[in-house]
Amino acid sequence: MDGNYTPRDTAVATAPAASFADGAVVGIGALPHRDAAAAADFSITEFGIATIPTLPKRSPAEAMVAQAVVGLPGVSLGPYGSIAIDPARVDDTTAIRTDLAQDAFVGMRTFLDRAGRFGLDGAPVKWQFVGPVTLGVALHRAGLDTDLAFDVALRAVRSHLAALADAIAGALPNSPQMMFLDEPWLTDLMRPDFPVPPDRAIDLMSSGMAVLGNDTVVGLHCCADVDLATLLATGPRAISIPVGEALLDWAGYLARFLDDGGVIAWGVIPSDGPLPASSERYWRALSDLWCSLVQRGCDPVKLRRQSLVSPTCGLGSHSVPVALRIAELTAEVGKRVGDQADATRFALGA
């Protein structure tokens, strides 16, 4: 499906991204820590871009769907992270309050407290939140009518995103923010039995991202193969996708996205399966992919300069030592990308 995409006319399409480039390392999703202070320190010291953690092993309330149902009338959280719904109390007009004092946001609160001690203000910060499509699927599966489930999901995501971005800006007023909507259900979007059609899903994600405006680099994360045309049609400023040969089918879309200033966070180190012994294989896979993308029209300079690297997905299912090793391997790939970006900058006299 080589070709071009047309981004939606949203504010996020012009968000600045200079702080998020040149192979910097970011985290994706959850961490396995039960100690919130240790998780915050890990996020600040092990990733080149400090990444606000979620900690579902510490509490099921920090699972991504569980976080999003905080403050939703008629929706309650079970002891193991399941959600229960009283349809009679759910509507799409009641104001949704984001209570940061809730157990669901301990990881974020602790990170913001520790960030001050590390002198992080002014350094870029990345965070993530569940997207409205994935939240809508969860609410629908829990018993809500389809239209109501996705309407409530969008309102919840927009309300929480605005409140969390304000909290981060209050604690770190000089730090550029990058936020990824986490949309694992996008892998099933093209199935005929998916609850909403692709156009509706695009509108949901685009509307969710637009609440943050120009001051935040807003993007989409999916840790499996996805219809990239749909992903890009939402108008993200950044995307987070795993490295794989399937991306060659979307070379034209990626070329246009980079030409428009988009940032790609490449999932280079797998977060499932056996722990890799070294990063060499994964650096080679990324490098080979880039060579093939260049042959299909991608700008080699933009590929290097407008790239981040990350694990393919969250590290919450691992032990802390394994998560640390994956972060170290990711950093090794990031250093090689950064070295190439520096060489490119030097060659161009920038």
Side-chain angles (χ1 to χ4, degrees), residues 132-205:
V133 174
T134 295
L135 179 58
V137 170
L139 294 175
H140 177 58
R141 289 188 162 196
L144 277 190
D145 170 79
T146 302
D147 288 341
L148 182 57
F150 286 91
D151 287 346
V152 169
L154 177 58
R155 292 183 65 250
V157 168
R158 285 175 59 89
S159 178
H160 290 321
L161 289 181
L164 295 174
D166 285 347
I168 296 166
L172 301 169
N174 298 303
S175 290
Q177 295 184 39
M178 170 179 274
M179 190 285 303
F180 280 113
L181 286 181
D182 194 349
E183 289 282 19
W185 274 106
L186 289 188
T187 57
D188 289 339
L189 181 60
M190 296 302 170
R191 290 172 56 98
D193 59 347
F194 199 76
V196 292
D199 283 354
R200 173 65 171 144
I202 288 169
D203 287 339
L204 287 164
M205 292 181 285

Side-chain angles (χ1 to χ4, degrees), residues 2-227:
D2 209 354
N4 291 322
Y5 80 102
T6 302
R8 290 296 173 104
D9 183 17
T10 61
V12 293
T14 58
S19 300
F20 303 96
D22 293 344
V25 178
V26 297
I28 293 292
L31 288 179
H33 300 69
R34 290 180 168 83
D35 182 325
D41 293 356
F42 181 104
S43 297
I44 293 168
T45 59
E46 299 302 328
F47 300 123
I49 294 174
T51 303
I52 299 177
T54 56
L55 308 173
K57 278 189 178 178
R58 186 202 65 79
S59 169
E62 288 210 51
M64 65 178 185
V65 169
Q67 276 191 326
V69 302
V70 169
L72 267 64
V75 183
S76 58
L77 188 65
Y80 301 106
S82 61
I83 57 175
I85 292 180
D86 178 358
R89 294 183 54 221
V90 178
D91 65 73
D92 59 358
T93 60
T94 304
I96 297 169
R97 179 171 174 262
T98 305
D99 184 0
L100 292 177
Q102 291 281 334
D103 193 40
F105 300 109
V106 167
M108 174 170 282
R109 293 201 311 270
T110 306
F111 174 93
L112 294 178
D113 176 65
R114 301 290 290 179
R117 304 183 191 187
F118 277 86
L120 199 63
D121 189 28
V125 173
K126 178 262 175 186
W127 53 291
Q128 62 276 322
F129 201 76
V130 68
V133 174
T134 295
L135 179 58
V137 170
L139 294 175
H140 177 58
R141 289 188 162 196
L144 277 190
D145 170 79
T146 302
D147 288 341
L148 182 57
F150 286 91
D151 287 346
V152 169
L154 177 58
R155 292 183 65 250
V157 168
R158 285 175 59 89
S159 178
H160 290 321
L161 289 181
L164 295 174
D166 285 347
I168 296 166
L172 301 169
N174 298 303
S175 290
Q177 295 184 39
M178 170 179 274
M179 190 285 303
F180 280 113
L181 286 181
D182 194 349
E183 289 282 19
W185 274 106
L186 289 188
T187 57
D188 289 339
L189 181 60
M190 296 302 170
R191 290 172 56 98
D193 59 347
F194 199 76
V196 292
D199 283 354
R200 173 65 171 144
I202 288 169
D203 287 339
L204 287 164
M205 292 181 285
S206 181
S207 297
M209 291 188 293
V211 72
L212 296 183
N214 290 352
D215 292 336
T216 301
V217 178
V218 184
L220 288 170
H221 165 70
C222 189
C223 55
D225 289 341
V226 66
D227 185 275

Side-chain angles (χ1 to χ4, degrees), residues 194-334:
F194 199 76
V196 292
D199 283 354
R200 173 65 171 144
I202 288 169
D203 287 339
L204 287 164
M205 292 181 285
S206 181
S207 297
M209 291 188 293
V211 72
L212 296 183
N214 290 352
D215 292 336
T216 301
V217 178
V218 184
L220 288 170
H221 165 70
C222 189
C223 55
D225 289 341
V226 66
D227 185 275
L228 203 59
T230 300
L231 197 73
L232 294 175
T234 64
R237 187 62 184 83
I239 56 174
S240 169
I241 49 178
V243 170
E245 289 187 3
L247 293 176
L248 295 178
D249 292 336
W250 305 100
Y253 289 85
L254 292 172
R256 175 68 182 277
F257 182 65
L258 291 166
D259 288 344
D260 287 345
V263 174
I264 302 175
W266 303 93
V268 293
I269 303 296
S271 54
D272 57 358
L275 182 64
S278 80
S279 63
E280 184 63 29
R281 170 186 172 189
Y282 302 98
W283 160 246
R284 198 158 40 237
L286 178 62
S287 184
D288 289 347
L289 174 63
W290 282 359
C291 288
S292 296
L293 287 173
V294 169
Q295 292 171 1
R296 288 164 172 79
C298 287
D299 185 313
V301 174
K302 291 173 181 175
L303 270 174
R304 289 161 176 78
R305 296 294 312 277
Q306 294 166 217
S307 286
L308 304 173
V309 296
S310 71
T312 56
C313 207
L315 304 179
S317 64
H318 296 289
S319 67
V320 173
V322 169
L324 175 60
R325 182 57 182 153
I326 292 174
E328 291 171 344
L329 293 170
T330 306
E332 290 174 9
V333 176

